[in-house]
Amino acid sequence: MSTKLLYIDPFYSDEDVGLFESHFRKMVEQDTEIDVISLGNKKGPLHLEYNCYEVLAMPDLIRQVIKAEQDGYDGTIIGCFYDPALRACREVSRKMVISAPAEASLHLAATIGESISIIVSLAAVKYAEFLVNIGRKLGWSQSKRVAFQSPPMVEAIGFGLFSS
């Protein structure tokens, strides 16, 4: 019995679809079919660093999840560490497994370590609260310590992230 998975890159660009497909095809079992899509080459956010961009992408992301279930996929992966619309997508799915990187990787990390650190970009520091809430959801309020770090400003300037 084969497994049919869909990876959704939740951005409005097909630029990375081929790259994701080639990597996934090297990793999956022989009887696993994996397809990779984005939200299409239409007007919309190219990243989800801002809450308003995430909200703009949600309706199309939810529509893709509904379509995936109708098309017979066994599972869908939302390909963004912010886990955009994860709970909403689970609400509209009847039997398909839906996962996203933050919840899945933090859950796994909790099984192999006493504390967890996440390195985030300078722009993503605001998501520390989001990630702490995932920790609470997974029951880590007292049992795990989660730390968030962004690169030192000196390194960020060295990479040319800011103009002088």
Side-chain angles (χ1 to χ4, degrees):
M1 185 170 149
S2 66
T3 303
K4 188 175 175 183
L5 301 175
L6 179 66
Y7 179 93
I8 303 173
D9 185 12
F11 310 123
Y12 290 88
S13 169
D14 290 335
E15 184 177 332
D16 295 325
V17 168
L19 176 67
F20 288 131
E21 275 182 340
S22 67
H23 285 301
F24 292 142
R25 294 203 194 291
K26 293 175 191 173
M27 292 185 256
V28 298
E29 297 289 326
Q30 221 171 19
D31 64 342
T32 301
E33 176 187 335
I34 186 157
D35 295 315
V36 178
I37 64 169
S38 73
L39 297 181
N41 281 324
K42 57 185 178 180
K43 189 173 183 173
L46 299 176
H47 63 79
L48 302 180
E49 294 290 325
Y50 305 109
N51 291 317
C52 62
Y53 284 10
E54 184 176 343
V55 169
L56 290 171
M58 283 182 181
D60 286 332
L61 187 53
I62 292 166
R63 278 191 278 276
Q64 287 294 345
V65 166
I66 292 169
K67 183 179 182 321
E69 187 164 57
Q70 291 169 347
D71 291 347
Y73 284 92
D74 299 300
T76 295
I77 302 158
I78 300 169
C80 176
F81 199 75
Y82 299 141
D83 294 355
L86 176 61
R87 293 179 73 188
C89 289
R90 286 178 174 162
E91 287 176 359
V92 300
S93 174
R94 292 186 188 143
K95 59 183 178 178
M96 185 173 60
V97 175
I98 302 171
S99 186
E103 184 179 276
S105 62
L106 292 173
H107 187 71
L108 178 62
T111 67
I112 58 176
E114 296 302 315
S115 63
I116 298 164
S117 291
I118 300 166
I119 299 172
V120 297
S121 69
L122 292 170
V125 171
K126 69 183 184 110
Y127 274 94
E129 181 181 345
F130 160 76
L131 296 169
V132 167
N133 286 334
I134 289 177
R136 282 192 196 115
K137 180 181 171 191
L138 295 174
W140 305 344
S141 55
Q142 302 300 321
S143 62
K144 295 284 179 195
R145 194 178 77 228
V146 181
F148 304 92
Q149 293 292 322
S150 62
M153 189 58 99
V154 171
E155 290 180 25
I157 293 169
F159 285 118
L161 299 177
F162 303 97
S163 56
S164 347

